[in-house]
Amino acid sequence: MQLPETVYNIAIEVINMGKELEFKLAAANDAVLDCLLGDPETAARMEGPVVCTPMETTYFDTETNAFRTNHWTLRRRQEGSRSVVCVKTPQPEPFARGEWEVEARQLLQLYGEAPLRPVCGARFLRRSVMLRLADGSRAELACDCGVLHGKTEELPFAEVELESKEGAPDATKALAGRLAKQYNLRWEPLSKFARANALK
């Protein structure tokens, strides 16, 4: 799927384009995430220290919901000191999404002739680390805890994201299955945007 050239018009440096393959698991609370990050088998696969990054996300759409109608997501996220704009699009494969990401300070408030508006968002702390799995593939483990918010409502959440970064995704999916069983996690079919957008 090709993105419209008018989605944003900003001074940018492209830092990632392509397909995201991610397994998302919901946790009961942050204490479960603490235990998971201390898991001996997972810790043995870590390539470096766990990095803590405060995140603040705003999701945008037009007044006619052009992005939601096409099942696209447009967000601007403050990741510590970095400001990142991202567009995600559907993919036919399970757990996959198209992803176009740029580092940017400003987002043009136009989609063609339609003004963009913030519709919902999220504030959370991400603890992330890269893993080298048994088959040589690599995956990013991210543990997020915070709140999703609409215009007036908020919803606390805690979740795990395992994103396949290099190699076949089989070992990443197997790890997600093991963690789900061991730490009583449930597969989360909805994105942060979908859950936040359901709030008032």
Side-chain angles (χ1 to χ4, degrees):
M1 183 180 296
Q2 186 174 4
L3 297 177
E5 293 180 358
T6 51
V7 171
Y8 37 68
N9 180 18
I10 41 183
I12 61 172
E13 176 186 359
V14 176
I15 57 176
N16 186 34
M17 295 181 65
K19 184 168 66 176
E20 173 190 63
L21 185 58
E22 180 179 87
F23 305 95
K24 189 185 296 287
L25 303 161
N29 50 52
D30 198 27
V32 175
L33 302 183
D34 291 340
C35 293
L36 187 148
L37 286 168
D39 179 87
E41 187 175 339
T42 302
R45 298 289 179 186
M46 293 181 181
E47 293 190 331
V50 175
V51 176
C52 297
T53 310
M55 303 275 197
E56 185 163 357
T57 300
T58 304
Y59 297 97
F60 293 85
D61 208 333
T62 68
E63 292 291 339
T64 58
N65 297 314
F67 281 83
R68 187 176 66 181
T69 300
N70 286 286
H71 305 288
W72 296 0
T73 302
L74 172 62
R75 77 178 186 212
R76 182 176 59 202
R77 176 178 286 172
Q78 190 68 32
E79 302 179 355
S81 61
R82 297 170 66 242
S83 179
V84 178
V85 173
C86 182
V87 175
K88 297 193 178 186
T89 61
Q91 292 283 307
E93 303 96 323
F95 306 107
R97 290 182 292 182
E99 183 178 73
W100 286 260
E101 188 175 273
V102 298
E103 189 166 350
R105 290 292 170 186
Q106 292 182 326
L107 175 64
L108 183 69
Q109 298 294 291
L110 290 176
Y111 173 81
E113 297 301 320
L116 294 172
R117 60 187 177 91
V119 293
C120 57
R123 299 183 302 275
F124 57 98
L125 179 68
R126 168 163 290 180
R127 291 178 287 172
S128 60
V129 65
M130 290 298 299
L131 307 177
R132 176 71 67 177
L133 303 180
D135 64 350
S137 62
R138 297 174 76 234
E140 182 182 45
L141 170 66
C143 292
D144 298 343
C145 187
V147 294
L148 307 170
H149 64 83
K151 290 182 173 60
T152 59
E153 292 183 330
E154 290 191 346
L155 178 68
F157 76 96
E159 68 185 23
V160 178
E161 294 182 357
L162 271 166
E163 183 177 352
S164 179
K165 291 291 191 180
E166 292 180 12
D170 299 6
T172 303
K173 185 176 183 180
L175 175 59
R178 178 182 74 80
L179 295 176
K181 183 176 181 180
Q182 187 168 346
Y183 293 97
N184 196 29
L185 310 174
R186 64 173 176 82
W187 294 98
E188 176 56 76
L190 299 178
S191 66
K192 289 183 179 69
F193 167 71
R195 286 173 284 155
N197 196 45
L199 299 173
K200 294 179 181 177

